[in-house]
Amino acid sequence: MLKNIAIGVVVIFSLYGCNSSAPLRNQAHVKSMSPSDFQRYLDEDTQIKSQINLPQPQTENETWVDTQKSKCKIFTSSLFKKNDPTVKFYWDGECKDGFAIGLGREFTIGKQTYVEAIGEYEGGKKLPQYFYQFNKANKRFHIGYLENSPKNILLFQGMLDNNNVFKKSIIFRDYDHKEMYEKMSFDDAGIQGKFYASTGGLNISEQIYNSDPLLKQQLVVQAKQKKLYTFESFNNGRKNFIDLSSNAPILVAPSQNLQDFITNKMSFLDKKTSNTNDIDLRNTLSAEKKVNIYINLTCTSSNYLKEVGKDNYFAICSPYKSLGVFNNQIEQGKVFVNQQKQKKLADVQQYMANQQLQVQQAEQLRLAQQQKTQEGWTALFNAITEVSNGVANSYNQQAEMYKNFSNNTPTQSFPALNKHKSTYNCINIGMNTTCREQ
């Protein structure tokens, strides 16, 4: 039995919230990246990878042991017994001449150990081919051509994360180029993702949110755990590509070499798994077929109930395969996901309420300023009107004075003039007219 399946790179990143970038610096335009800005990270990654030697399999720890009841020898690792002296070995397949033969499942069970593997034995001491492995300690199973050899391998994976949320993945471990690719889905959380990691430290993580009220997509490029660039796409159509490589995050137009790097790495698994002639994919599909044959045999008949008992035996018949033994934890994971969704929805509602409040406050401030301005104009108009009214009153008082003066002037009698007809000669001088009788 395989001791473990090493992926080569440990991947940890949050899937239950948006880790937004730091506040952006005010800028009048989007900065264009120079290709040299990213090229130095590519060169550094290549240099580091050239100095790393991947570990070789330790075949000296592998041995043949007798199973607990049938005394049928199976192939396993001596490290099991070394790490947990209480382990016992079981085999639910056929036995010939004291050795396992055919398709079956073997178990390694101890106080600190529970590992299963589905494999096929040819008989005698010919090494088996394994198609499935489940380790209860890390809540994870793999399907594929599982071998302890330094070669490229494509795996189907199912696991529970730290919050007991079920994640299914397709993983390709590229030994030739010292890289790892993963395409994953958290169905209960409505999240899909992709991940690329190089042993040189350069990696990309991408998450697509199917039910998030705000965020649609987030992509992060990192070098040795330091965020370099992030792309964020929102449901309202807004998109940001942000340079985080300095202490002051700024909006940028990514260089062509950065765009090509992201596109090539994020589309790699899609191309590989859509190519029906890909040898790694064909091997994994063949392994999955073997696993399904075994499941159909064990889940439709109780005749296969042999060494390990029904509880262990039929766990693989669950929708989560052997992870079905964690049924209670899986339910807890679903509750956690719903709580996170509700929390995110509440956060968004609070955010929208705050935005609406800010808009209302801004509108109230605008109206107050408008009213204040209007009051200023009104006061000025009133002052002008008051002055105008004062001038008008002054004219009216003057007119009334002239009128009173005219009314109070005594009437005078003049002697009668001769009634003969006179003629006058008049000339204009400036604004005055002078007339003389002729």
Side-chain angles (χ1 to χ4, degrees):
M1 182 185 294
L2 297 176
K3 172 63 177 173
N4 199 3
I5 300 296
I7 298 302
V9 181
V10 177
V11 180
I12 300 175
F13 60 101
S14 172
L15 290 175
Y16 306 106
C18 170
N19 296 324
S20 59
S21 59
L24 291 174
R25 195 168 58 183
N26 291 332
Q27 49 186 120
H29 62 279
V30 177
K31 175 186 175 183
S32 295
M33 276 184 60
S34 169
S36 60
D37 292 345
F38 183 62
Q39 187 62 45
R40 63 191 182 99
Y41 295 109
L42 289 174
D43 295 341
E44 182 183 21
D45 182 76
T46 301
Q47 181 181 6
I48 294 174
K49 282 198 294 187
S50 67
Q51 300 171 352
I52 294 177
N53 294 319
L54 296 179
Q56 299 296 313
Q58 298 179 350
T59 56
E60 66 273 12
N61 290 322
E62 297 167 339
T63 185
W64 293 85
V65 298
D66 285 330
T67 57
Q68 183 65 21
K69 294 184 179 180
S70 63
K71 304 302 179 184
C72 188
K73 292 185 182 296
I74 61 172
F75 188 69
T76 188
S77 171
S78 61
L79 294 179
F80 281 120
K81 202 75 174 179
K82 181 179 179 180
N83 295 333
D84 184 358
T86 67
V87 296
K88 296 179 181 179
F89 303 96
Y90 303 89
W91 167 250
D92 66 4
E94 300 299 323
C95 191
K96 182 180 180 180
D97 300 328
F99 289 87
I101 190 170
L103 183 66
R105 183 163 48 148
E106 52 191 65
F107 301 81
T108 303
I109 303 175
K111 291 182 178 179
Q112 303 174 11
T113 308
Y114 186 97
V115 177
E116 301 177 10
I118 295 174
E120 190 168 37
Y121 286 85
E122 294 184 23
K125 284 194 173 183
K126 292 182 179 179
L127 298 182
Q129 175 63 64
Y130 291 105
F131 313 114
Y132 174 91
Q133 185 182 46
F134 165 65
N135 191 329
K136 193 173 183 179
N138 57 27
K139 303 179 183 179
R140 180 179 306 179
F141 70 77
H142 292 111
I143 297 175
Y145 264 65
L146 309 177
E147 300 178 8
N148 278 329
S149 60
K151 59 184 292 186
N152 296 347
I153 185 171
L154 183 72
L155 298 172
F156 296 156
Q157 176 183 274
M159 65 170 291
L160 299 184
D161 71 0
N162 293 334
N163 296 297
N164 289 317
V165 180
F166 179 66
K167 180 183 81 168
K168 58 184 180 183
S169 304
I170 300 174
I171 297 173
F172 179 64
R173 184 181 58 195
D174 188 343
Y175 265 110
D176 295 338
H177 300 94
K178 302 176 183 178
E179 296 173 334
M180 190 272 283
Y181 300 81
E182 182 177 8
K183 184 178 180 180
M184 68 199 77
S185 176
F186 289 77
D187 292 345
D188 293 332
I191 299 172
Q192 278 73 47
K194 295 179 181 179
F195 188 82
Y196 160 80
S198 165
T199 55
L202 197 58
N203 64 61
I204 311 172
S205 63
E206 179 187 24
Q207 301 171 62
I208 299 174
Y209 302 86
N210 297 328
S211 57
D212 191 278
L214 284 181
L215 192 60
K216 183 177 181 179
Q217 180 186 11
Q218 185 180 50
L219 183 145
V220 177
V221 180
Q222 292 182 314
K224 294 184 290 188
Q225 303 303 315
K226 176 187 176 183
K227 288 185 178 181
L228 301 179
Y229 310 99
T230 180
F231 170 77
E232 297 171 336
S233 174
F234 298 86
N235 291 325
N236 62 4
R238 182 168 61 90
K239 298 179 180 180
N240 295 326
F241 200 99
I242 304 169
D243 185 347
L244 299 168
S245 58
S246 65
N247 293 328
I250 57 174
L251 288 171
V252 296
S255 58
Q256 191 61 49
N257 60 344
L258 176 56
Q259 295 182 57
D260 292 342
F261 175 75
I262 292 173
T263 300
N264 292 338
K265 301 305 182 184
M266 292 293 97
S267 63
F268 179 86
L269 266 183
D270 290 329
K271 294 177 181 178
K272 190 172 185 66
T273 55
S274 63
N275 180 10
T276 56
N277 294 321
D278 184 90
I279 186 63
D280 301 307
L281 176 63
R282 292 174 66 179
N283 285 340
T284 304
L285 292 175
S286 177
E288 184 182 39
K289 184 177 180 180
K290 292 284 188 178
V291 173
N292 289 334
I293 290 173
Y294 172 83
I295 290 175
N296 290 334
L297 287 173
T298 60
C299 296
T300 57
S301 173
S302 60
N303 295 332
Y304 274 80
L305 189 62
K306 295 184 179 178
E307 290 194 347
V308 295
K310 186 175 180 179
D311 291 339
N312 300 115
Y313 194 80
F314 287 101
I316 200 169
C317 302
S318 78
Y320 300 95
K321 293 190 168 56
S322 294
L323 286 171
V325 299
F326 296 108
N327 184 64
N328 291 337
Q329 289 90 332
I330 291 173
E331 293 303 316
Q332 292 172 6
K334 292 180 179 180
V335 172
F336 171 80
V337 167
N338 289 330
Q339 289 174 344
Q340 293 299 306
K341 287 181 179 180
Q342 294 299 320
K343 182 178 183 300
K344 188 64 179 292
L345 181 60
D347 290 342
V348 170
Q349 291 174 341
Q350 183 62 49
Y351 170 79
M352 298 301 293
N354 291 340
Q355 291 292 100
Q356 185 176 5
L357 179 60
Q358 291 179 10
V359 170
Q360 292 175 349
Q361 291 174 342
E363 179 65 14
Q364 291 173 357
L365 179 61
R366 186 188 68 81
L367 292 175
Q369 292 175 339
Q370 182 180 12
Q371 182 178 0
K372 186 175 181 180
T373 302
Q374 185 65 35
E375 289 174 352
W377 281 109
T378 302
L380 178 61
F381 179 76
N382 290 339
I384 295 174
T385 302
E386 184 177 352
V387 171
S388 300
N389 290 338
V391 173
N393 290 336
S394 176
Y395 284 133
N396 290 336
Q397 291 173 2
Q398 187 176 8
E400 187 67 24
M401 181 184 66
Y402 287 141
K403 178 181 178 181
N404 293 336
F405 177 78
S406 174
N407 292 335
N408 294 331
T409 302
T411 300
Q412 298 184 20
S413 299
F414 294 93
L417 299 178
N418 294 328
K419 299 299 182 182
H420 62 274
K421 183 176 180 180
S422 300
T423 60
Y424 298 87
N425 182 24
C426 300
I427 60 173
N428 294 324
I429 303 174
M431 297 180 65
N432 300 318
T433 301
T434 304
C435 297
R436 292 183 179 179
E437 186 179 357
Q438 295 180 346

